[in-house]
Amino acid sequence: FKGMGFFDESSPFSSFFGGRQAQLGRNSHAEVEVSLEELLQDTQKSVEYSRQAECSKCKGTRSEPGSRIETCHRCHGSGQVHSTRQMMGMMFSTDSTCQECGGEGKNISERCSKCRGRGVEAQRQKLEITIPAGIPDGMQLRFEGHGERGPSGYGDLYVAVSVKKHPIFHVTSWNASGS
C-alpha cells in the first residue's frame, strides 16, 4: 500500500506497510560476575563496555565543525522522492529514497575528519548498575538507551549476570543449599 496513497508516513498503519520506523542503534552487551553473598541483597556494580557513540568532534552531525549543512534541494529535506506515472490509463504513485542525499534529507559540504562522516565513534563507557537480590545465574538486565547510537537514538545495553561458584553452597533454583 506504500506509495499508492492509502497511508502517509505518519499513519499508525505505515509501519505495517513499509513506512519509516525509528532507527535506534544496535544493542550493546556486557557481563558482570557476582558472589553468592552479593545475591542476598541489591548490589552496586560497575560495568565497562565499548559502544559506538556520538562523535565527540561533530556531535553526531557528521560534518566538520563550521562546514555547511544544507537541506537537499531534490527531496526538500524529506529523504524521499515522490513520483507519479501514467501507465495504460492508470496513475501509479511511488516513493523512493532520494539518490541526491541518500535518504538523509541534507547535503554536507565537508565530512567530519574524526568519524569520517559517520557521526559516531568507538567509545569506552562505564555504568554503575544495581544487581537485584536473588537474580538467577545467566539472567540479563536491560538498560535502555545505553547501547550504540543510531540515526534516531541509542539502542539498549544488556548485562548478563553470572554467579561465582561458592566453595560450600550452590544455588538450585531459588533455594541455597549446602554441598
Side-chain angles (χ1 to χ4, degrees), residues 53-67:
E54 184 176 87
C55 175
S56 58
K57 183 174 183 179
C58 70
K59 306 291 185 233
T61 65
R62 302 178 29 222
S63 67
E64 197 66 33
S67 66

Side-chain angles (χ1 to χ4, degrees), residues 8-22:
D8 68 349
E9 297 288 346
S10 63
S11 166
F13 299 102
S14 67
S15 63
F16 295 107
F17 300 102
R20 280 196 232 177
Q21 297 176 351

